[in-house]
Amino acid sequence: MHTSRWARRFLAYTMWAASGMSRGHVLQEYCESRPGKCHGLRQFDVSSFKGIFVQAAADYDLATGTQRYRSWLETQAAAILGRAVSDGTHRTSCKNPHSCQFGLYWSRYLAPGSAVVPVSLASQTSALQALTAALTG
């Protein structure tokens, strides 16, 4: 099978709701759909996955000269801005860099104080990768 077909199958599986890695067309960690919401897992790995995956979708479009995942990338960016932005305590709209933190949970709002996986360098990086991919795609 051609490499781009394998890549497309991998991307499609992860985006498929039944995989547990997508909710309402928004990327989520598999553990987010489970009770405990990722408790006890290596949090850097959990928080890094989304950024790596989003970059893979953007790279697919770039490598194939298509825009197959363009609207999906825009959906991720909208979800981040609508659900994952906080000042560390409360939902916010990123009026300045000090009140703009990106959390792990993109598919639904989860107050920072109740999030099992806190805002981290990895969650911030993943969100920035998604926002950049949506802008440049």
Side-chain angles (χ1 to χ4, degrees):
M1 185 180 285
H2 192 271
T3 304
S4 67
R5 290 175 76 196
W6 279 109
R8 194 170 63 239
R9 286 178 71 187
F10 169 74
L11 294 168
Y13 174 79
T14 301
M15 293 174 187
W16 181 42
S19 73
M21 299 172 84
S22 180
R23 179 179 179 197
H25 304 289
V26 177
L27 190 59
Q28 68 176 8
E29 277 289 341
Y30 181 74
C31 60
E32 288 179 61
S33 64
R34 304 251 181 264
K37 299 180 185 78
C38 309
H39 184 68
L41 297 175
R42 293 188 314 218
Q43 293 180 356
F44 185 80
D45 292 348
V46 169
S47 298
S48 298
F49 164 75
K50 290 178 189 173
I52 295 166
F53 186 83
V54 166
Q55 193 59 57
D59 287 348
Y60 178 91
D61 279 357
L62 181 63
T64 60
T66 66
Q67 291 195 346
R68 176 180 293 271
Y69 298 111
R70 177 83 184 127
S71 67
W72 183 86
L73 292 167
E74 291 169 351
T75 297
Q76 305 318 296
I80 291 164
L81 294 174
R83 300 183 188 123
V85 180
S86 77
D87 64 4
T89 306
H90 303 96
R91 190 181 251 169
T92 188
S93 60
C94 286
K95 293 184 180 173
N96 65 61
H98 303 290
S99 68
C100 190
Q101 298 178 16
F102 301 108
L104 170 75
Y105 304 93
W106 302 354
S107 64
R108 68 187 182 294
Y109 175 73
L110 190 59
S114 63
V116 174
V117 179
V119 170
S120 67
L121 174 61
S123 68
Q124 300 257 62
T125 301
S126 287
L128 289 172
Q129 284 177 295
L131 294 170
T132 301
L135 287 173
T136 59

